[in-house]
């Protein structure tokens, strides 16, 4: 019989965090969202009746400590996200992703939290040596973002080793889905959708034959919940779909689901972008039953239907 748990979701008003908060609430848990609304939106959580919202920044250790007091589990999603953004603002990236994560871990340790689930990134791998990408693939991140996420992963592991507090690091690949709004530093899907909605040319960096592993946010939510509530699960796990798609094919599928034609241009490769991506997700499947269930064409159509009313631009 499932018992209600007291949980905190940092970054809970953001894209992934709001979807996670909604599912936790639906399962009957007591949910507190901690978010500074820098990239989160109140309208993402306003429909979630019963959620407690705290306006706060993970760099504020004192306020964060108060928010974590009495919680059983912490889902740490608050972050400065993206390779390009970290190249432009490396100090901010480190302040949020490194110091912010340390603040979460320290507050969780002092409050006796059972487990911290940390949202990491496939950016920790850097340029890839082999596909599919195993959890133990060599890690040589080549952007400040990848470095900060790798540090945060390692310090989570250190807290488990030193203090016995369970921690999990989930390495997200290319997440997409409802509540994902346009951000110039963000994921390729909302950027392309934003361009299509405004009749602008889609810019592809490179020849478009680079591949990505797109995973729906609903599958990411399930990975968070299952890894948190499965006793004894600790360590790092790849969270993707286990499939790959070229960027050129992505554009074709967007044209199909939208019924729109759009101009496409090609530009030089960007620093920090990998050529190919494909997650080996077997470890998560073995240890906490992670099995992606949302087929990409279905998830893409669902996202387009949500985004086409200009929600993606807000």
């Amino acid at each position: 019989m499932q018992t209600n748990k007291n949980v905190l979701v940092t970054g809970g008003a953001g894209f992934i965090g709001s979807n996670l908060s909604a599912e936790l609430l639906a399962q009957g848990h007591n949910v507190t969202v901690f978010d500074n609304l820098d990239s989160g939106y109140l309208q993402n959580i306003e429909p979630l009746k019963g959620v407690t919202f705290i306006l706060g920044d993970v760099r504020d250790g004192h306020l964060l400590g108060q928010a974590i007091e009495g919680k059983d589990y912490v889902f740490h999603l608050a972050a400065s996200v993206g390779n390009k953004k970290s190249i432009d603002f490396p100090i901010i990236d480190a302040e949020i992703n490194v110091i912010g994560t340390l603040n979460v871990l320290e507050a969780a340790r002092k409050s006796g939290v059972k487990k911290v689930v940390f949202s990491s990134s496939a950016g920790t791998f850097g340029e890839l040596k082999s596909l599919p990408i195993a959890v133990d693939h060599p890690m040589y991140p080549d952007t400040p973002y990848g470095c900060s996420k790798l540090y945060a992963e390692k310090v989570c592991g250190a807290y488990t080793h030193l203090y016995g507090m369970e921690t999990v690091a989930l390495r997200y690949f290319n997440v997409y889905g409802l509540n994902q709004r346009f951000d110039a530093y963000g994921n390729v899907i909302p950027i392309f959708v934003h361009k299509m909605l405004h009749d602008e040319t889609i810019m592809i960096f490179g020849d478009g034959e680079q591949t990505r592993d797109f995973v729906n946010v609903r599958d990411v939510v399930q990975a968070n919940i299952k890894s948190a509530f499965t006793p004894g699960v600790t360590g790092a796990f790849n969270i993707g779909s286990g499939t790959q798609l070229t960027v050129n094919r992505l554009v074709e599928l967007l044209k199909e689901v939208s019924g729109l034609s759009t101009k496409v241009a090609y530009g030089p490769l960007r620093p920090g972008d990998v050529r190919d991506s494909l997650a080996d997700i077997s470890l998560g499947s073995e240890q906490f039953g992670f099995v992606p269930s949302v087929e990409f064409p279905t998830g893409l159509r669902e996202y387009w239907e949500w985004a086409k009313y200009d929600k993606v631009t807000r």
Side-chain angles (χ1 to χ4, degrees), residues 11 13-19 39 44 175-181 217:
F15 159 44
I16 301 174
S18 60
N19 280 279
S39 58
N44 285 347
V175 188
Y176 74 99
L178 302 187
N179 289 354
Q180 188 176 30
R181 291 172 169 83
V217 68

Side-chain angles (χ1 to χ4, degrees), residues 47-192:
L48 307 183
K49 304 306 179 186
V51 165
T52 300
F53 174 70
I54 298 174
L55 180 64
D57 193 300
V58 291
R59 289 170 289 187
D60 183 343
H62 178 70
L63 182 59
L64 185 62
Q66 292 179 330
I68 288 178
E69 187 67 35
K71 301 302 186 292
D72 302 310
Y73 296 85
V74 174
F75 296 89
H76 178 35
L77 293 95
S80 178
V81 178
N83 290 327
K84 179 65 166 61
K85 189 173 184 179
S86 76
I87 293 169
D88 291 344
F89 306 103
I91 303 301
I92 293 174
D93 180 271
E95 289 173 345
I96 297 171
N97 295 351
V98 174
I99 301 303
T101 300
L102 277 170
N103 283 339
V104 168
L105 291 168
E106 265 297 278
R109 178 183 69 83
K110 292 176 180 177
S111 297
V113 165
K114 294 177 181 179
K115 185 179 289 188
V116 173
V117 179
F118 166 64
S119 290
S120 187
S121 167
T124 55
F125 292 112
E127 193 55 52
L128 304 172
K129 309 294 183 185
S130 60
L131 292 176
I133 307 163
V135 171
D136 60 357
H137 184 285
M139 308 186 82
Y140 296 102
D142 47 16
T143 66
Y145 175 68
C147 291
S148 66
K149 285 293 189 178
L150 180 56
Y151 172 85
E153 276 193 22
K154 295 299 185 182
V155 79
C156 282
Y159 267 68
T160 296
H161 174 73
L162 292 171
Y163 307 115
M165 181 178 68
E166 291 185 358
T167 62
V168 168
L170 301 180
R171 294 176 186 146
Y172 302 153
F173 280 64
N174 289 78
V175 188
Y176 74 99
L178 302 187
N179 289 354
Q180 188 176 30
R181 291 172 169 83
F182 168 75
D183 182 332
Y185 290 108
N187 188 284
V188 63
I189 290 177
I191 290 175
F192 282 6

